[in-house]
Amino acid sequence: MFSHLQAGPDDPILGLMAQFRKDPRAGKIDLGVGVYRDQAGHTPILDCVHEAERLRLAEEDSKSYQGMAGDPVFTAAIEALALAEHPVRRDHRVFTAQTPGGTGALRVAAELIRHSRPDACLWLPDVSWANHPSVFQAAGLRLRDYPYYDAPTQSLRTDAMLASLAQVPSGDVVLLHACCHNPSGVDIPAGLWPEIAALAQRQGFVPLLDMAYQGFAEDLDRDAVGVRALAAAVPEMLLCTSCSKNFGLYRERIGALSLIGDCASTTTAAGSVMLGRIRNIYSMPPAHGAAIVARILTRPALTAQWQDELTAMRERIRRMRALAVSRLAATGLQRDFSFIERQRGLFSFLGIDAAQVERLRSEFAIYLVGSSRMNLAGLSEGNIEYFANSLATVLRQ
Ligand code: LMR
């Protein structure tokens, strides 16, 4: 069965993480995989998570199955975080299942789309998270793309994007990054969401919102403005959320898939189909991450502590964006890097070519994804000078 198989290619992001770990050079800098890092380059466990885990150990009294939708306290809390007191919740038009990470949510969404509407195309922004195409193709979906990121200006191709969305046929699905676009850091501005919502309504396409970074751009509510605008406008929608980044729970694999239906009864029916897909793939989600998030979001003191820790992470990333711009300018490079400060979340494209990315890795032990996506959280006051000077050397030669 296996003897004819050729080794697959390394994952462009996770493969880099493995390479970085093996690199023995002191002073190496990881700007690759999308995890938050503190000033010391460490990805910390949040204090509120430590406390929630302590509570869980004391409180948990069974390891019995939880069911396909996961922990109902978690799903209600995560739904409220994304949608607040939105009318779709009051009208029982939302069904949420806990999933193994945001990627689990994307895969279940893909299975649900394929099951409900096998002919539907999924439209991805050009460019999108490197793993998006293969997750959806693995579920048998056909993909198309719409213009999104303009490399020369490091900004949004607003007119081209709107013109393309105005052509999406009814019944197709359009994936939109809710905030902190991965990989470009270029977001849809708040004022543009109503226009996108109107197009979705007019064309009859189903928005699939991917919200992996709520709280990393502006704040929890402002980062969900697109999700809430679309939920108010369209009869049907899908929302994938992740707790990897904003709760720092990467390895616990905790996320959620919410579907919004046009009325309570179709939502219940579609929810049961979603559970059927889950049963076929992994039966039930793991419990630990949900137990942590549920405790944090239902105990006011823990919620406040989490919000403070989230704010601190967001502010550090912003400081690193500003510092990167000023230190790169101080090298005397003619190139304008001010776009880094205008973009949001963990990532920006540095805008260098693959050979330059490779030189940064081989000569200077600085790791970026081959597309030149850099994780700003990998920078610190301690390594920024080295990073800026190394980049200047590479760009001058
Ligand atoms: C990233 O984009 O680096 C993260 O979301 C990690 C991953 O799974 O790719």
Side-chain angles (χ1 to χ4, degrees):
M1 179 185 284
F2 306 127
S3 56
H4 66 290
L5 295 181
Q6 306 287 319
D10 278 350
D11 183 89
I13 298 171
L14 302 184
L16 200 66
M17 188 170 87
Q19 249 184 313
F20 180 82
R21 283 185 181 150
K22 276 196 236 142
D23 191 331
R25 288 175 286 181
K28 60 185 178 177
I29 307 179
D30 188 355
L31 308 180
V33 68
V35 297
Y36 174 77
R37 293 181 195 282
D38 62 18
Q39 176 61 21
H42 183 58
T43 302
I45 301 176
L46 301 185
D47 290 340
C48 61
V49 166
H50 273 308
E51 177 58 12
E53 286 188 307
R54 196 189 60 74
L55 289 171
R56 182 186 190 212
L57 263 186
E59 289 166 2
E60 189 177 51
D61 61 359
S62 176
K63 293 285 185 194
S64 181
Y65 291 127
Q66 232 166 6
M68 295 169 282
D71 175 352
V73 180
F74 165 78
T75 51
I78 208 72
E79 218 179 82
L81 198 62
L83 290 161
E85 298 309 314
H86 202 286
V88 291
R89 296 187 66 226
R90 187 198 54 216
D91 297 343
H92 306 288
R93 287 180 49 212
V94 193
F95 178 87
T96 300
Q98 174 189 326
T99 56
T103 309
L106 291 165
R107 179 58 193 255
V108 176
E111 297 285 341
L112 183 61
I113 295 165
R114 179 103 174 99
H115 179 90
S116 322
R117 222 177 248 152
D119 293 336
C121 266
L122 178 80
W123 295 65
L124 288 173
D126 175 23
V127 54
S128 201
W129 180 42
N131 204 27
H132 272 151
S134 55
V135 168
F136 295 118
Q137 278 163 340
L141 292 184
R142 287 183 303 130
L143 302 183
R144 296 196 58 178
D145 55 34
Y146 63 89
Y148 186 87
Y149 165 72
D150 186 54
T153 59
Q154 285 271 10
S155 60
L156 188 65
R157 296 180 63 191
T158 307
D159 293 343
M161 175 179 79
L162 294 176
S164 179
L165 295 182
Q167 304 299 321
V168 175
S170 170
D172 274 4
V173 181
V174 174
L175 185 139
L176 296 145
H177 294 234
C179 61
C180 304
H181 181 266
N182 178 3
S184 72
V186 172
D187 276 350
I188 294 173
L192 202 59
W193 285 106
E195 211 167 323
I196 294 173
L199 280 176
Q201 217 175 4
R202 191 188 82 193
Q203 292 300 112
F205 63 75
V206 179
L208 163 51
L209 273 291
D210 187 358
M211 184 156 66
Y213 295 88
Q214 189 182 3
F216 264 50
E218 303 290 339
D219 61 37
L220 286 164
D221 285 325
R222 281 192 285 170
D223 291 1
V225 72
V227 168
R228 294 173 192 174
L230 279 155
V234 295
E236 295 181 336
M237 180 173 128
L238 289 160
L239 167 65
C240 299
T241 48
S242 167
C243 304
S244 292
K245 325 281 172 170
N246 52 7
F247 289 86
L249 288 171
Y250 308 88
R251 65 174 63 167
E252 300 301 349
R253 309 311 300 139
I254 175 66
L257 172 61
S258 304
L259 77 78
I260 295 177
D262 61 2
C263 67
S265 62
T266 54
T267 303
T268 306
S272 75
V273 173
M274 186 206 288
L275 295 183
R277 301 304 95 204
I278 288 173
R279 182 71 168 145
N280 291 345
I281 313 175
Y282 52 83
S283 189
M284 281 168 261
H288 189 65
I292 295 167
V293 175
R295 280 173 176 79
I296 293 173
L297 293 180
T298 54
R299 301 183 193 208
L302 275 184
T303 312
Q305 187 180 14
W306 169 62
Q307 288 176 353
D308 288 347
E309 294 188 271
L310 179 59
T311 302
M313 289 195 280
R314 178 175 64 241
E315 286 178 352
R316 197 185 100 73
I317 297 165
R318 282 193 177 161
R319 275 201 311 281
M320 289 309 110
R321 284 188 175 278
L323 199 59
V325 174
S326 64
R327 288 301 154 86
L328 285 166
T331 61
L333 281 170
Q334 291 308 302
R335 235 187 235 226
D336 177 15
F337 287 98
S338 61
F339 63 84
I340 293 177
E341 220 176 333
R342 291 193 295 275
Q343 297 170 352
R344 316 192 308 170
L346 288 183
F347 310 115
S348 285
F349 283 123
L350 207 41
I352 60 175
D353 64 31
Q356 292 166 326
V357 170
E358 176 50 25
R359 263 195 81 194
L360 278 178
R361 191 195 61 76
S362 57
E363 283 178 40
F364 300 98
I366 297 174
Y367 285 68
L368 264 72
V369 177
S371 59
S372 93
R373 186 194 81 168
M374 67 183 289
N375 171 10
L376 275 297
L379 293 177
S380 67
E381 273 87 358
N383 66 21
I384 189 88
E385 209 72 57
Y386 174 72
F387 164 74
N389 292 336
S390 305
L391 181 62
T393 307
V394 166
L395 289 177
R396 283 196 180 108
Q397 284 165 6

